[in-house]
Amino acid sequence: MAKVEKRPAGKPAAQDVAAQLELKPGQSIELLKALHILTRDGKLNQDSRRKLKQVYHLYQFIAPILQELSEGGHAVTLADHGAGKSYLGFILYDLFFKDLGRGRIYGIETRAPLVESSQQLAAGLGFDRMEFLNMSVAESARADFMPAQFDVVTALHACDTATDDAIAFGLEKKAKAMVLVPCCQAEVAACLRQTKALSLSRTPLAELWRHPIHTREMGSQITNVLRCLYLEACGYQVTVTELVGWEHSMKNELIVARYTGHRKRSAAERLRQLLAEFGIESLQASRFAMLPAEAAKT
């Protein structure tokens, strides 16, 4: 009889651990430990489970895009804005870029200690086609050492106007796809507060944001609606859906934009109309600078 090699007690095989934790095929357990998603003994606490579930769901949306764009030997470039600890970037590299053998991920983050730790982790894992940059999104768009074009732009829970900066980066770099999960948003809400008295005297719709909690929620809703219209006006087909169940994250809106080249004039018109309706026209120059010129009226 063939000799069956027994595993030491308490030491389950890696594939058994992966199955128990519902990890993606090929997922590096050592990477998840290095990211502190798994503990040293391979356990997954509830907070880490939520985090991993969000990144995996996002991967399901991004992977088909990467697969399509990498056809014909193309080396896909991906910019991950507001990268934080780069959970998304590392898992994308581990599950897709590593075995593909081409393509590059740029993680852009303003907090220097996070950038340094990501650089060290990538070097230790041999993820040599990952770069981490300590700069803002706006600075990265102007950096002359960055590629002139990017294929994919991602932003997972980039706070407040960082999502708008990521969109501006994608437009400037002629991104073929953008995958965005906005986080806290304060800019539009602040504008609504400033014009609240005037709006209440002008339209009953202002009751929708009269109370502070409603101002915050309306500001968030309006922000994402304007972002979607802006992307459509600039030639993208936009899909909006949930990232994961609301029990995992309250910031759960996922915006997927694919470039088609078809600029929707109606989207540009509606965007301008909404800015006027809510008294926030001041945002057009700063947030929607690439909005197509308004059609001449006859």
Side-chain angles (χ1 to χ4, degrees):
M1 291 180 63
K3 185 177 180 180
V4 178
E5 184 178 344
K6 293 184 178 180
R7 293 191 301 270
K11 294 285 187 179
Q15 61 266 31
D16 295 337
V17 173
Q20 291 170 13
L21 298 176
E22 299 179 350
L23 303 184
K24 295 286 185 187
Q27 177 72 75
S28 167
I29 292 176
E30 293 308 311
L31 169 63
L32 296 183
K33 288 180 180 180
L35 292 172
H36 304 293
I37 291 176
L38 293 181
T39 61
R40 288 181 179 178
D41 55 355
K43 299 293 178 60
L44 186 67
N45 63 37
Q46 194 58 35
D47 182 59
S48 295
R49 188 178 296 275
R50 283 194 295 268
K51 190 177 299 178
L52 188 60
K53 189 178 183 69
Q54 290 177 45
V55 174
Y56 273 177
H57 271 263
L58 197 54
Y59 175 77
Q60 289 179 328
F61 285 95
I62 299 173
I65 296 172
L66 294 174
Q67 189 66 51
E68 177 187 327
L69 295 178
S70 64
E71 290 178 356
H74 178 64
V76 175
T77 50
L78 183 147
D80 181 27
H81 289 296
K85 295 180 180 179
S86 295
Y87 295 117
L88 177 60
F90 277 113
I91 288 177
L92 283 173
Y93 194 98
D94 190 40
L95 294 179
F96 186 85
F97 285 82
K98 182 175 65 178
D99 289 340
L100 187 67
R102 60 180 184 275
R104 187 171 292 272
I105 293 177
Y106 294 80
I108 298 162
E109 170 58 49
T110 57
R111 290 166 289 183
L114 297 183
V115 173
E116 184 177 349
S117 64
S118 293
Q119 290 170 336
Q120 292 173 353
L121 178 55
L125 292 167
F127 289 5
D128 56 354
R129 286 174 286 109
M130 292 190 79
E131 295 189 30
F132 299 94
L133 307 172
N134 179 206
M135 58 179 58
S136 68
V137 180
E139 289 170 339
S140 69
R142 297 190 297 267
D144 56 9
F145 57 83
M146 292 282 276
Q149 287 185 291
F150 271 84
D151 295 300
V152 181
V153 171
T154 62
L156 174 57
H157 291 158
C159 284
D160 199 14
T161 58
T163 299
D164 300 290
D165 293 337
I167 290 172
F169 178 96
L171 293 176
E172 185 169 335
K173 296 294 186 178
K174 298 179 175 59
K176 297 179 178 69
M178 300 189 218
V179 183
L180 314 165
V181 182
C183 194
C184 52
Q185 299 155 20
E187 187 177 46
V188 169
C191 293
L192 292 176
R193 290 189 196 98
Q194 292 174 358
T195 61
K196 189 177 294 186
L198 177 61
S199 297
L200 283 167
S201 67
R202 184 174 58 85
T203 173
L205 287 176
E207 291 293 338
L208 294 173
W209 66 92
R210 178 162 62 92
H211 297 286
I213 189 171
H214 294 157
T215 305
R216 184 187 66 201
E217 296 304 317
M218 278 296 295
S220 178
Q221 177 75 357
I222 293 166
T223 299
N224 286 337
V225 169
L226 293 173
R227 287 167 174 164
C228 292
L229 288 171
Y230 185 39
L231 287 164
E232 289 177 337
C234 291
Y236 288 79
Q237 182 183 45
V238 176
T239 301
V240 185
T241 187
E242 292 180 0
L243 176 59
V244 288
W246 292 104
E247 71 273 15
H248 295 287
S249 175
M250 292 301 293
K251 300 299 181 182
N252 198 35
E253 188 166 337
L254 170 64
I255 300 171
V256 180
R258 300 291 305 270
Y259 186 71
T260 65
H262 174 61
R263 294 172 175 261
K264 292 182 67 174
R265 182 182 299 177
S266 61
E269 292 172 353
R270 288 294 177 89
L271 194 157
R272 291 189 179 92
Q273 289 167 354
L274 285 176
L275 291 175
E277 179 66 29
F278 291 106
I280 52 177
E281 297 98 326
S282 60
L283 294 179
Q284 181 168 333
S286 59
R287 293 298 164 208
F288 310 108
M290 297 182 70
L291 194 67
E294 192 170 3
K297 297 181 179 179
T298 58

